[in-house]
Amino acid sequence: MVASPIFGLWSNYRPRKEPLIVSIFISVAANCLYAYVHLPASHNKYYMLVARGLVGFGAGNVAVVRSYIAGATSLQERTGSMANTSACQALGFILGPVFQTCFALIGEKGVTWDTIKLQINMYTAPVLLGAFLGILNIILILAILREHRVDDSGRQCKSINFEEASPDEVQDPQGNIDQVAVASTNVLFFVVLFIFALFETIVTPLTMDMYAWTREQAVLYGGIILAALGVEAVIIFMGIKLLSKKIGERAILLGGLIVVWVGFFILLPWGNQFPKIQWQDLRNNSIPNTTFGEIIITLWKSPRDDHNEGPTGCPIEQAWCLYTPMIHVAQFLTSAVLIGIGYPSCNVMSYTLYSKILGPKPQGVYMGWLTASGSAARILGPVFISQVYTSWGPRWAFSLVCGLVVLTITLLGVVYRRLIAFSVRRGRIPE
């Protein structure tokens, strides 16, 4: 969130290779620090915190990548190129957990390279792979990437910097960008990332509460579900490239939000079947916010879990577990499929429209703010859903999400006509 506007501003005035190489080098150094975090005699947790913080800082180069694509493609090419990038990102999210699962076979002890005091085990192997891929990225940037800029019609621009653009191309001053459309798209992007962040956060606790899964089962099955959503996203990204040519980006964004709303609406609890209660904790803990009758029922039912290896089900500390119907597996899977359709559609359309609204001038800073808004959403989404779900349960949590999506659809309806390309608004290119 902090780094995105910084790298974006850098890319506006200097060759994009510079912020890309520096940001990737920061990530490589951070991963190496993580691999050696066991060496210091004390304060190891602070070194780990610094390592993870630097990895996040290095990830701010996404703004540079998107601004490069926006500047290197015409309006006709933009959606397909953004979709390709999003598909590669989704593929990374799929393969990352797969590699990490494979590295688990190395075990906690692993092997030690005494000469450089490097431990290679299930915890350090993933970051070492990340460092290797970062070095490979730097080599590829130096060897292959070239500066390339075209205007919205696809005509070549001579320079990477707006101030030195070809003299025959008349550029508009910064103030002519539709700032209302820019701000609205930032809000839309924030909500889209916010919704998916809270969904991937709630998968594990929700399945543990509703289906009495153990932690191991919840992590395993949840990982499979999220990986399947990643595959689904890649397919959606490829389909969007074709669909956008027929109905346009705004219609796909609106349709994606509607699909997301339906997905969360399906998640609302209904029926008269209730989740299994985690009674075992009652032996050592008081029961908050429950009536005397509920306590008696709890005491009467608790012995049935004596044979279990550990407590599973909906914790008794969450009082809503006693009166909220369970979310059936079919509900959850259907919802996941719909959100897996709606989210990638909204995601790629948000920053595709954003890049078109900004026009042919360098977009590094604006893309930095868009990326920062998405990062803020990924911070706030898990906090929001964790607090609301734990305190009030899935009915309130998903009702509030549905309400948020309705407000977002309303905002989109209000600014719908303003979400058009800069050159179209200026009358240079027909819509």
Side-chain angles (χ1 to χ4, degrees), residues 127-146:
V127 295
L128 293 174
L129 175 63
F132 169 77
L133 292 176
I135 294 171
L136 181 61
N137 259 336
I138 292 175
I139 294 172
L140 290 173
I141 290 172
L142 291 172
I144 297 176
L145 184 68
R146 65 187 180 89

Side-chain angles (χ1 to χ4, degrees), residues 138-157:
I138 292 175
I139 294 172
L140 290 173
I141 290 172
L142 291 172
I144 297 176
L145 184 68
R146 65 187 180 89
E147 299 294 339
H148 181 71
R149 182 178 291 282
V150 298
D151 62 14
D152 285 351
S153 300
R155 295 175 298 178
Q156 183 76 33
C157 296

Side-chain angles (χ1 to χ4, degrees), residues 202-253:
I202 204 61
V203 166
T204 298
L206 180 69
T207 52
M208 289 176 65
D209 291 347
M210 293 293 142
Y211 314 125
W213 288 354
T214 64
R215 290 183 183 275
E216 291 76 12
Q217 288 175 318
V219 170
L220 174 62
Y221 299 150
I224 293 172
I225 290 170
L226 292 176
L229 293 186
V231 175
E232 183 183 10
V234 172
I235 297 172
I236 295 297
F237 288 135
M238 295 300 99
I240 280 175
K241 294 167 61 176
L242 302 175
L243 187 60
S244 63
K245 296 178 181 179
K246 296 184 178 181
I247 66 174
E249 290 89 355
R250 292 177 297 178
I252 293 177
L253 178 56

